[in-house]
Amino acid sequence: MSASVEPTSVDPSQSGSAPANTGATRPTRTAEALRPHAEDAYAAELAALAAQDDRPRPARWRLSPWAVATYLLGGTLPDGTVITPKYVGPRRIVEVAVTTLATDRALLLLGVPGTAKTWVSEHLAAAVSGDSTLLVQGTAGTPEEAIRYGWNYARLLAHGPSRDALVPSPVMRAMAEGMTARVEELTRIPADVQDTLITILSEKTLPIPELGQEVQAVRGFNLIATANDRDRGVNDLSSALRRRFNTVVLPLPETPEAEVDIVSRRVDQIGRSLDLPAVPDGIDEIRRVVTVFRELRDGITTDGRTKLKSPSGTLSTAEAISVVTNGLALAAHFGDGVLRAGDVAAGILGAVVRDPAADRVVWQEYLETVVRERDDWKDFYRACREVSA
Ligand SMILES: Nc1ncnc2c1ncn2[C@@H]1O[C@H](COP(=O)(O)OP(=O)(O)O)[C@@H](O)[C@H]1O
Ligand SMILES: [Mg+2]
């Protein structure tokens, strides 16, 4: 039979192009997984939602569209179960995304890096199908087989082409089982390989000419793709393919408060799994990280008085989350457990200065004209001077 999958080798980025994974058995999940899949990490919330959800569910959906939206946005169920918000942002965006999945159009999540495209895609698949692992990671080298199917060559040589020798892609499995498939970074995939998706999304069928057969998608199948609009641009999607998708743009957080809220929530969740100190003591420091990121990103100070040059990096919410998480780890292991300026300074510098020449100039200017002038930022100024030297 098929090679068994080692319990620890659950690497979603591999499953897209790994023909060795026949898909016949799902990888075993261990409680010790460093990063459990959404459907495992939030199994209790999903079960509570399923139990109390009395609205109609589309074919093969685990939850009604309303319950899927509640899972993403958070809320309190009639029995008091608290559903934590996964996505913090406009409710309408989530409603449109969920609704799209219940139609015959696929969903394209578009946005700059770090706007939670991958995160939302994973949680949508977990809530709708109970499985977020039917994933193809798009790269410049993604072959057609990663989207259609491959062959187990030992069996192909021994017995000739047969369904037994065929290795289904995650997309093929999703079609056959009426599940949600995910394609990450769609626009990085070469155009001719992308076009494989046209037949799948328009005809809802995947021909297997070698066998004179086809796999027809059953109800419940749909696909979520993510794409970066900073990459080579979504123009790379052929118009034929683009028409198969409903596009939902995930925005950067509108206000500083919203961004602080996202960062502190996520840092709290990540920190708990790493046994890091609690966030509330460090909330002022989080505000400062977010302020620095937003000012540099927007090219203007919060008070609107000083124009700034923007560095080459994206300075996304996701990067703010990682700067703060690293800062908390520093505070826990080498400080007094409270997040301070010195714990985030190096992380901020690393995020801002991507290009050693140009970005360093931008940073120095910001440091000397903005940071230095703020009376309550003296500690931060000193910490930044220390790491910038
Ligand atoms: N609006 C948001 N709500 C919740 N989490 C967010 C938000 N924006 C960013 N994040 C967090 O940022 C991190 C990175 O997001 P990710 O999905 O990898 O970004 P993308 O795929 O858009 O580049 C995730 O941990 C996610 O929780
Ligand atoms: Mg992503």
Side-chain angles (χ1 to χ4, degrees):
M1 270 313 289
S2 64
S4 67
V5 182
E6 281 200 62
T8 45
S9 65
V10 192
D11 181 355
S13 64
Q14 297 286 310
S15 59
S17 52
N21 184 353
T22 62
T25 48
R26 284 173 52 128
T28 321
R29 276 122 197 243
T30 57
E32 279 291 291
L34 189 53
R35 186 193 176 289
H37 299 298
E39 59 273 26
D40 299 326
Y42 295 95
E45 286 188 11
L46 289 167
L49 274 164
Q52 294 172 63
D53 180 17
D54 50 12
R55 302 187 189 218
R57 302 175 192 187
R60 290 195 182 74
W61 279 38
R62 298 288 189 95
L63 300 172
S64 68
W66 173 85
V68 173
T70 305
Y71 170 74
L72 267 116
L73 293 160
T76 307
L77 299 184
D79 78 343
T81 308
V82 174
I83 307 297
T84 54
K86 319 298 175 303
Y87 179 67
V88 182
R91 166 163 219 101
R92 199 66 196 167
I93 285 186
V94 173
E95 290 172 351
V96 171
V98 174
T99 308
T100 298
L101 289 176
T103 68
D104 65 344
R105 281 188 155 219
L107 172 64
L108 176 62
L109 298 174
L110 194 65
V112 298
T115 42
K117 301 178 296 294
T118 303
W119 177 249
V120 167
S121 153
E122 177 184 358
H123 284 286
L124 281 173
V128 169
S129 300
D131 187 347
S132 63
T133 66
L134 296 172
L135 171 73
V136 177
Q137 179 65 48
T139 68
T142 301
E144 231 178 76
E145 294 83 67
I147 294 176
R148 300 171 73 217
Y149 52 86
W151 297 99
N152 176 326
Y153 288 105
R155 277 193 218 166
L156 189 63
L157 289 176
H159 307 292
S162 69
R163 275 304 261 272
D164 244 12
L166 183 140
V167 181
S169 72
V171 177
M172 185 186 250
R173 284 178 51 206
M175 293 174 77
E177 294 168 29
M179 310 262 281
T180 308
R182 298 171 52 205
V183 177
E184 279 288 311
E185 306 288 2
L186 177 61
T187 47
R188 289 197 191 157
I189 300 178
D192 53 325
V193 179
Q194 277 180 27
D195 284 348
T196 315
L197 284 173
I198 295 178
T199 328
I200 294 175
L201 295 181
S202 57
E203 314 283 325
K204 312 286 187 213
T205 170
L206 183 46
I208 313 171
E210 293 91 336
L211 302 179
Q213 295 179 3
E214 63 173 14
V215 169
Q216 271 195 304
V218 302
R219 292 174 64 190
F221 166 72
N222 210 333
L223 187 137
I224 308 173
T226 66
N228 203 321
D229 60 9
R230 278 269 177 102
D231 261 2
R232 287 178 305 149
V234 77
N235 302 328
D236 289 335
L237 276 192
S238 69
S239 58
L241 184 53
R242 180 126 208 201
R243 262 188 287 122
R244 316 292 171 209
F245 284 101
N246 252 358
T247 304
V248 170
V249 177
L250 298 188
L252 284 163
E254 201 157 328
T255 62
E257 296 77 49
E259 193 158 2
V260 169
D261 181 46
I262 297 168
V263 173
S264 44
R265 269 175 207 282
R266 285 295 294 143
V267 168
D268 186 57
Q269 285 167 352
I270 299 168
R272 232 173 295 161
S273 69
L274 298 174
D275 300 323
L276 295 181
V279 163
D281 298 336
I283 192 77
D284 291 334
E285 214 47 65
I286 295 180
R287 274 201 200 99
R288 193 144 59 185
V289 173
V290 168
T291 306
V292 171
F293 272 39
R294 290 182 74 91
E295 290 187 325
L296 285 171
R297 200 160 71 202
D298 300 345
I300 191 153
T301 51
T302 315
D303 59 12
R305 289 223 192 113
T306 315
K307 283 230 167 80
L308 304 164
K309 291 198 198 84
S310 288
S312 59
T314 46
L315 299 180
S316 65
T317 315
E319 280 168 284
I321 293 170
S322 96
V323 166
V324 174
T325 310
N326 286 330
L328 274 180
L330 274 176
H333 300 308
F334 298 105
D336 59 3
V338 178
L339 187 65
R340 297 191 197 282
D343 301 318
V344 292
I348 291 182
L349 182 74
V352 174
V353 181
R354 286 287 151 85
D355 171 343
D359 291 340
R360 190 167 283 278
V361 175
V362 171
W363 175 243
Q364 285 300 341
E365 206 171 295
Y366 180 71
L367 201 57
E368 298 303 328
T369 56
V370 178
V371 176
R372 190 182 184 165
E373 300 306 317
R374 292 190 173 145
D375 287 336
D376 46 348
W377 280 35
K378 297 277 177 242
D379 54 334
F380 184 61
Y381 177 71
R382 251 178 282 120
C384 290
R385 282 291 298 261
E386 241 165 68
V387 293
S388 307

